[in-house]
Amino acid sequence: GWKHAINTTIINFNNEKMQITWATRQLFPNENVSFFYTFDEGKHKIWMPCTTYLLDQDYNSGCLFKTEGPTLAISMRNSNGSEELFSKTLKSDFYIKPNRPENVTFFWKEDTVTVSCNKPKRAARCLRLELQYKSKFDEEWQSRTSKCCSIGEQGFDPRKCYSFRVRLRRLVPYCNVVNYSSDWEAETFWMNGTLLDSCDEDITSQSNTVIVLSCSLAVLLMMLILLILLCKWQRVRMSVLPAIPDPKYLFADLFNDHDGNLQEWLDKKDHVVLQTQLVYEEPESITEAESQLEDGKNSEKQAPLEKIFTFSGAAENNDGKAAEIACLIPTSNAMSSFAGFHILRNDDMYVML
């Protein structure tokens, strides 16, 4: 019975090729065995020698041949084939390893992705489609399995990049005695329904976006600070250096109609009498001063109020044109003359023309 106890590894690649291997160094350390097989089920079997051997240190360790039926018989013999060392009969359909999924497609709708592939021509009921995925923040794969050949999954974050891979699995024990799965289909990378070359592109794009946003915010912040400083500077400048009114706006006709000729401007009838009223913080003092002038009292304490302007030229005018500009002011400390006019002024006032 030891001939049936030797461990062998049997793989039927999609029911197309058979691969049978054995541990030649442990089982047959001093002999290079030969391998024979047949798919005949009758008594008169025709044994076929192996034409493609797998080698381990120049010793035969396996055989690769074409799958030609559901029932397989194998026989290992000594180097010249005269003595049988091991034999076994098996069902080749119970050792099928499926091929990779073909024509894999991804369909995205919002946070749901549906993966599908071509349906195999044979034994599709024995196959399951396995989907694995993970984002760049996951360390392990998330796995989902469904009937061949479509599977859907929800809950994908459109802001994350995901890696996907799929394969076909053979059902155990209903269809296989060994849990064989196909090799993984090539890994793909997706983000919000868009196929990427890798998830590194997502990281790079996010880094560029962060840099651009940071620079934009910094520029806006600097502009805001400069605007605030400018407004502050305008307020400080206005408080330290107040604007001096331009006299040409007060005497527009003097400069526009008479080109600054004061005598000509004074001769006009429209400017015969020009009264200027000065407003003080304490107008009561002006009224009190006038009453003192009328009574003639306290002459030593209160200086007499005088007219600011006396127009000598106006008195000599033969046409009787005269102009008199009078203004009551506090006690003056100095007198100024301009074009024949006498101006009394104190220390805290100025005259605009």
Side-chain angles (χ1 to χ4, degrees):
W2 66 272
K3 292 183 179 181
H4 301 281
I6 296 176
N7 290 329
T8 56
T9 301
I10 304 169
I11 303 176
N12 183 0
F13 292 102
N14 201 41
N15 213 25
E16 297 173 358
K17 286 185 177 182
M18 297 290 301
Q19 175 182 292
I20 300 178
T21 57
W22 56 87
T24 184
R25 302 301 296 169
Q26 287 79 16
L27 298 175
F28 313 105
N30 299 320
E31 189 170 1
N32 197 5
V33 299
S34 57
F35 182 85
F36 295 85
Y37 66 94
T38 181
F39 288 93
D40 295 335
E41 299 181 9
K43 293 181 180 181
H44 303 285
K45 298 177 181 181
I46 300 176
W47 294 93
M48 304 291 295
C50 180
T51 57
T52 305
Y53 278 103
L54 304 177
L55 302 179
D56 180 13
Q57 298 181 3
D58 297 331
Y59 284 88
N60 297 335
S61 62
C63 182
L64 188 64
F65 54 94
K66 184 179 180 181
T67 303
E68 298 177 352
T71 303
L72 172 65
I74 61 175
S75 174
M76 283 184 284
R77 304 173 186 179
N78 58 5
S79 57
N80 56 20
S82 59
E83 181 184 359
E84 186 178 75
L85 303 177
F86 172 74
S87 64
K88 185 176 183 179
T89 302
L90 52 93
K91 291 291 184 179
S92 61
D93 291 345
F94 288 169
Y95 298 87
I96 293 179
K97 178 178 180 178
N99 287 341
R100 292 178 178 178
E102 296 180 355
N103 193 24
V104 179
T105 59
F106 291 80
F107 176 74
W108 288 79
K109 185 177 181 181
E110 297 179 354
D111 65 338
T112 303
V113 60
T114 302
V115 185
S116 58
C117 65
N118 289 349
K119 188 175 182 179
K121 297 180 180 179
R122 297 180 54 186
R125 61 181 179 82
C126 290
L127 296 175
R128 293 292 181 268
L129 181 63
E130 182 180 4
L131 169 68
Q132 287 191 348
Y133 61 91
K134 67 177 180 178
S135 70
K136 60 185 179 181
F137 303 103
D138 299 327
E139 296 181 357
E140 298 181 355
W141 291 93
Q142 305 293 324
S143 183
R144 298 292 183 273
T145 305
S146 180
K147 292 182 179 180
C148 185
C149 292
S150 180
I151 183 173
E153 183 65 16
Q154 297 179 338
F156 290 97
D157 190 342
R159 297 169 298 179
K160 294 182 180 180
C161 178
Y162 291 90
S163 304
F164 290 90
R165 63 182 184 181
V166 293
R167 67 179 178 179
L168 291 173
R169 294 178 58 182
R170 185 84 171 176
L171 282 177
V172 176
Y174 305 104
C175 300
N176 261 32
V177 295
V178 183
N179 189 10
Y180 281 149
S181 301
S182 70
D183 294 335
W184 290 104
E185 180 62 13
E187 187 175 348
T188 57
F189 306 92
W190 295 82
M191 180 178 179
N192 196 20
T194 302
L195 180 63
L196 305 177
D197 293 334
S198 67
C199 284
D200 294 336
E201 294 182 2
D202 175 43
I203 298 175
T204 303
S205 62
Q206 288 189 354
S207 301
N208 294 336
T209 303
V210 171
I211 292 174
V212 171
L213 290 177
S214 300
C215 294
S216 302
L217 290 175
V219 171
L220 292 176
L221 183 60
M222 291 180 63
M223 293 178 63
L224 180 61
I225 294 175
L226 290 176
L227 184 61
I228 294 174
L229 292 177
L230 182 61
C231 294
K232 292 286 187 181
W233 166 247
Q234 290 291 343
R235 294 179 62 183
V236 171
R237 190 174 67 84
M238 291 298 296
S239 62
V240 176
L241 300 174
I244 299 175
D246 194 340
K248 72 179 181 179
Y249 295 109
L250 299 177
F251 305 96
D253 52 350
L254 172 63
F255 294 95
N256 294 336
D257 300 338
H258 304 284
D259 295 329
N261 190 333
L262 180 62
Q263 186 62 43
E264 181 181 344
W265 176 71
L266 292 175
D267 289 341
K268 290 189 69 66
K269 294 182 179 180
D270 295 338
H271 298 84
V272 172
V273 180
L274 175 63
Q275 296 181 351
T276 303
Q277 183 177 0
L278 298 180
V279 181
Y280 297 94
E281 295 182 358
E282 296 180 0
E284 296 83 358
S285 62
I286 299 177
T287 305
E288 183 179 354
E290 292 178 348
S291 62
Q292 291 176 355
L293 284 175
E294 294 175 356
D295 297 337
K297 298 178 181 182
N298 300 325
S299 57
E300 295 178 358
K301 296 182 179 180
Q302 177 67 37
L305 297 177
E306 298 178 3
K307 295 182 180 178
I308 295 179
F309 295 96
T310 58
F311 299 93
S312 58
E316 298 175 358
N317 196 331
N318 295 327
D319 297 334
K321 297 180 179 179
E324 180 177 4
I325 301 174
C327 177
L328 296 178
I329 61 173
T331 305
S332 61
N333 297 325
M335 176 177 293
S336 299
S337 298
F338 174 72
F341 307 123
H342 301 286
I343 303 171
L344 298 178
R345 59 184 177 86
N346 62 353
D347 294 338
D348 57 350
M349 67 171 289
Y350 62 90
V351 177
M352 294 186 298
L353 290 180

